[in-house]
Amino acid sequence: MGRKERGFAQNMTDIVLKHAPDFDVASVEMRPSRQGKYLSITCVVRAVSREQLDALYKELCDHPSVVMVL
């Protein structure tokens, strides 16, 4: 979940693709918050290692527009 800004969804899918090249971008689900200030993005990936998952999580968390990563 992050601030609803221009390019936010694209930036997030680019990060996911960097760590999971077989990720299907067409499967992305997006939901805006009630007031439209935030955007929730759901990306389902098949992780092949703990290191891969940790690196993806860290890069998503480090992005300045991201508020929460689950």
Side-chain angles (χ1 to χ4, degrees):
M1 177 184 290
R3 292 175 196 84
K4 190 174 179 185
E5 301 171 343
R6 174 177 238 111
F8 176 70
Q10 182 65 51
N11 289 336
M12 297 304 103
T13 55
D14 288 347
I15 291 171
V16 173
L17 280 168
K18 178 178 166 185
H19 295 277
D22 60 340
F23 171 65
D24 179 11
V25 178
S27 69
V28 173
E29 295 178 22
M30 293 184 275
R31 289 175 304 283
S33 64
R34 286 186 192 176
Q35 280 85 32
K37 185 176 179 180
Y38 299 100
L39 183 64
S40 171
I41 300 175
T42 302
C43 300
V44 178
V45 300
R46 182 178 301 264
V48 295
S49 70
R50 180 64 185 203
E51 292 77 20
Q52 176 195 22
L53 195 57
D54 288 345
L56 172 58
Y57 181 82
K58 180 172 179 2
E59 188 165 353
L60 289 171
C61 286
D62 289 346
H63 194 280
S65 296
V66 172
V67 176
M68 179 188 316
V69 178
L70 299 175

